[in-house]
Amino acid sequence: MTSAVSAPTRPSPMARFGHWALNHGALVGLIVLCIALFIATPNFLTVSNIINVGIQTAVVAILAFGMTFVIITAGIDLSVGSLAAFSAMVSAWTFTSASMPGWLTLVIGLLAGLLAGAASGLAIAYAKLPAFIATLAMMSVARGLTLVISDGTPIPTAGAVNWLGEDLGPIPVPVIMMALAGVACWFILSRTVLGRSLYAIGGNPEAARLSGLPVKHILVVVYALSGLFAGLAGLVLAGRLSSAQPQAGVSYEMDAIAAVVIGGASLAGGAGKASGTFIGAILLAVIRNGLNILNVSSFWQQVVIGCVIAVAVGFDVFRTRKES
Amino acid sequence: MKFTRMTRSLAVVMTGALALGGLAACNRDGGTASSSKGTVVLAVSTQTNPFFVQLANGAKAEAKAKGVDLKIQDASDDPATQANQISNAISTQAKVVIVNPTDSDAIAPSVKSLNKAKIPVIAVDRGPSSGDVASFIASDNVAGGRQAAKELAQQMGDKGEVIHLQGTPGTSSSRDRGKGFTEEIAKHTNIKVVAKQTANFDRSKALDVSTNLVQAHGGVTGLFAENDEMAIGAVSALGSKAGKSVKVVGFDGTADGFKAVAAGTMAATVAQQPTELGKTAVDQAADILAGKKVAATTPIKVITVTKDNVKDYQ
């Protein structure tokens, strides 16, 4: 609140609430939406449905956490949906064809995502390809390789991977993985030199370079991280379906980008938070889950999600303009 | 001043949420006809393919006729979305779930959770690779592939070169139709399959793929597409050759497919009866709700439709 007024009076509670709401638009939207859905259908706020929403958020949230790093640097990663499928397929293939132990196939799947992401990062940092183009190319390459490895048919995954789709006591493992990814994202962004430097690069890459930040190295690390998170998301998805699907994760990059943007990040770089991304991902899952329970056609769901993205970003622009 | 602006922005958010609520309200069925007997959920693989649209319509019409409270969920061909929809059906306590899987392997965990929740499962068009289903209703795709090969061979005069357009890699329908076709066409030693390419069951994709293949293989006289959408795409690519020097056989028996057969651009289609698939599924769901026994498998006939008998199906 940059009140240019020298009013000595404290703002009224209502105004303070308004101010808080303005800064947490996505969260307010989420709460309002949950209340509306609760009124609309008694099935929305049941324990089993809340668990459902958790599981249904997991894959996109994990992708979106990885995407947050990229978007803060003013980049974009269009390959994450394909990388998710690719990592899961590599993991499944090492399990069925090379009969490696389950835990190792899991690690190899994650590594596949990390390396593919690093390859995009190298192309962006050193070959100077625009992020949009480099990751668009990677999206096609990774999807193609996924189809090549699998010959277009789903491959069963190892028990260790399937465990990612099961429950640990009362808590579903996908939710645990989402929490781990979220905490990792928050920790890197707010507690490490790397994280702080991402904001600098996104805010002003030239200034960041001149102040001695190894911008190229950092960019490679950022896309590698995005790939690693995509790998984890892909393995969780495969675990839920007990198989690596050649067409898994198609268009999930769009959901991930939407979640990050709804969460208040700017595609111009320099802004974004793990908590915002998480709320964005939950908001998308709640919309889908709620409209599903209300039996709204999937065609309308797409219309609604598009409107929500537009409203969220419009709201954000309005807020920043007010603040400046 | 500041305050009013803030209120306005809050109003934006509220309006958005209300719009959602309103939209939901418009879309809700007044399905109270048999809420006493419970809801039946039909999880359908996609609603952008005419075949599955007909399947859903057949189910809808039968549900209306029998007073079954039917909710239709569309997975847009994404196995993960379908898994989500089925877990939603479990938490909303559906009494019977009819599932038309996007993929046989991917649906297995969902079928197992339905088994755990003691909700009877009816599988339509594709079955799960594991888990228990009360009833499985499907066209025989392998037999259909064989029928397509027989018809195509006969119309080609038992000799020549054939292009085979495959469906989405990894779908069981593509696998089975391809298998039946490949096995049967191999028996005709003077017919050679010169190209096998996927066009993802998609009309526009098939137009491109066929154009390229015809460039490479100018002498083909036959083309088998694993669904009518691709066959129609191929017909567009072949232009004036379609139906004259090149015989095109499709699969599914969609309205457009029948039109093309009647017009002579397609030589034949192996017609499934999607409306029948949907109708039978709802019938069996109604039987389960009424506590009656249902058959474990119900094969729905596929019929080779040519110019001679297309009138009976249009």
Side-chain angles (χ1 to χ4, degrees):
Chain A
M1 177 72 73
T2 53
S3 51
V5 208
S6 55
T9 49
R10 288 189 68 214
S12 72
M14 188 65 203
R16 267 185 303 171
F17 170 75
H19 177 227
W20 177 87
L22 201 57
N23 280 319
H24 298 81
L27 185 58
V28 173
L30 180 63
I31 293 166
V32 172
L33 182 67
C34 287
I35 294 169
L37 284 169
F38 175 66
I39 294 166
T41 169
N43 288 319
F44 177 68
L45 270 189
T46 58
V47 174
S48 75
N49 195 52
I50 289 168
I51 291 174
N52 277 344
V53 172
I55 298 174
Q56 292 168 18
T57 309
V59 174
V60 167
I62 296 169
L63 288 176
F65 287 132
M67 184 74 78
T68 308
F69 302 123
V70 173
I71 286 182
I72 288 172
T73 65
I76 191 109
D77 189 347
L78 299 177
S79 67
V80 294
S82 295
L83 290 189
F86 175 68
S87 306
M89 197 55 80
V90 169
S91 169
W93 181 83
T94 52
F95 170 65
T96 52
S97 299
S99 29
M100 292 182 183
W103 64 269
L104 187 61
T105 69
L106 222 164
V107 174
I108 289 176
L110 291 173
L111 272 179
L114 180 94
L115 290 175
S120 296
L122 287 170
I124 292 159
Y126 291 93
K128 295 272 180 265
L129 285 180
F132 192 96
I133 306 296
T135 58
L136 187 69
M138 181 53 77
M139 170 179 168
S140 186
V141 169
R143 179 69 57 190
L145 286 174
T146 307
L147 286 163
V148 169
I149 297 169
S150 64
D151 201 14
T153 49
I155 307 185
T157 39
V161 175
N162 293 348
W163 175 80
L164 290 173
E166 287 159 17
D167 297 336
L168 191 65
I171 308 169
V173 179
V175 174
I176 297 171
M177 292 298 142
M178 170 170 71
L180 287 176
V183 169
C185 177
W186 165 82
F187 183 81
I188 291 171
L189 285 178
S190 55
R191 293 282 182 279
T192 65
V193 176
L194 172 73
R196 306 318 296 167
S197 55
L198 298 189
Y199 292 97
I201 292 172
N204 188 338
E206 194 55 18
R209 197 178 56 80
L210 292 173
S211 60
L213 283 174
V215 173
K216 286 181 174 171
H217 288 184
I218 290 172
L219 281 178
V220 176
V221 171
V222 162
Y223 287 89
L225 271 176
S226 178
L228 176 68
F229 278 62
L232 177 63
L235 290 168
V236 169
L237 183 59
R240 285 194 64 201
L241 305 170
S242 321
S243 58
Q245 298 281 332
Q247 297 291 3
V250 168
S251 83
Y252 282 28
E253 55 278 344
M254 293 303 153
D255 272 10
I257 293 167
V260 177
V261 167
I262 290 171
S266 156
L267 287 179
K273 287 195 344 227
S275 58
T277 295
F278 181 58
I279 290 167
I282 290 197
L283 190 67
L284 288 176
V286 165
I287 293 170
R288 285 216 171 91
N289 168 273
L291 295 182
N292 220 249
I293 290 178
L294 291 170
N295 207 27
V296 175
S297 97
S298 63
F299 301 170
W300 277 111
Q301 290 183 30
Q302 295 192 33
V303 174
V304 171
I305 284 170
C307 294
V308 168
I309 293 168
V311 168
V313 178
F315 187 78
D316 216 49
V317 170
F318 167 77
R319 181 173 60 93
T320 39
R321 213 177 339 138
K322 248 192 71 140
E323 281 182 354
S324 55
Chain B
M1 201 62 240
K2 226 177 319 175
F3 174 69
T4 52
R5 231 186 274 169
M6 237 165 256
T7 335
R8 200 179 338 141
S9 49
L10 265 178
V12 170
V13 178
M14 299 278 180
T15 322
L18 284 178
L20 277 184
L23 187 64
C26 298
N27 259 279
R28 238 180 311 173
D29 310 333
T32 48
S34 59
S35 45
S36 57
K37 286 189 293 186
T39 355
V40 176
V41 169
L42 164 60
V44 72
S45 58
T46 174
Q47 287 290 277
T48 51
N49 173 332
F51 178 82
F52 295 106
V53 175
Q54 285 179 43
L55 188 150
N57 288 345
K60 251 185 253 174
E62 188 67 7
K64 206 164 175 175
K66 290 218 158 162
V68 174
D69 179 16
L70 182 75
K71 300 243 186 298
I72 297 180
Q73 304 285 1
D74 160 23
S76 312
D77 255 340
D78 180 24
T81 305
Q82 188 155 63
N84 293 344
Q85 290 171 340
I86 291 188
S87 50
N88 293 345
I90 294 173
S91 65
T92 53
Q93 287 145 22
K95 283 284 177 289
V96 179
V97 170
I98 305 169
V99 61
N100 154 234
T102 56
D103 175 87
S104 299
D105 294 320
I107 198 68
S110 296
V111 171
K112 284 176 192 151
S113 0
L114 284 163
N115 295 157
K116 223 188 282 178
K118 296 206 165 39
I119 298 174
V121 187
I122 299 173
V124 188
D125 187 51
R126 296 173 195 141
S129 55
S130 60
D132 299 324
V133 293
S135 149
F136 175 52
I137 305 159
S139 309
D140 191 338
N141 277 317
V142 181
R146 286 208 181 90
Q147 278 170 238
K150 276 194 188 117
E151 185 62 31
L152 185 62
Q154 195 203 326
Q155 296 220 24
M156 287 168 66
D158 233 355
K159 63 177 190 301
E161 296 185 336
V162 174
I163 290 172
H164 175 175
L165 288 185
Q166 295 168 296
T168 308
T171 53
S172 52
S173 55
S174 169
R175 266 197 300 256
D176 292 350
R177 290 168 196 183
K179 183 170 172 249
F181 179 82
T182 307
E183 283 172 3
E184 185 66 34
I185 209 81
K187 295 178 188 165
H188 301 266
T189 42
N190 292 332
I191 292 184
K192 200 162 147 251
V193 178
V194 289
K196 241 191 211 189
Q197 283 278 318
T198 177
N200 287 347
F201 286 135
D202 181 270
R203 192 185 294 200
S204 56
K205 195 129 196 208
L207 171 57
D208 294 341
V209 172
S210 320
T211 306
N212 300 343
L213 290 177
V214 172
Q215 282 291 324
H217 309 279
V220 292
T221 52
L223 185 144
F224 168 59
E226 285 171 4
N227 77 340
D228 281 348
E229 284 293 295
M230 292 195 295
I232 292 161
V235 164
S236 317
L238 290 163
S240 61
K241 286 185 181 173
K244 297 196 173 60
S245 58
V246 184
K247 304 289 179 203
V248 178
V249 174
F251 201 115
D252 272 355
T254 58
D256 284 356
F258 289 144
K259 258 188 227 138
V261 171
T265 49
M266 267 170 70
T269 180
V270 177
Q272 298 195 73
Q273 306 179 68
T275 322
E276 199 59 34
L277 285 169
K279 177 177 175 291
T280 311
V282 171
D283 280 344
Q284 297 200 342
D287 284 352
I288 291 174
L289 286 174
K292 291 185 202 154
K293 268 219 142 355
V294 291
T297 51
T298 313
I300 305 285
K301 259 199 345 205
V302 289
I303 307 141
T304 307
V305 176
T306 60
K307 212 167 175 147
D308 307 333
N309 61 350
V310 70
K311 277 195 187 55
D312 310 342
Y313 298 97
Q314 268 180 304

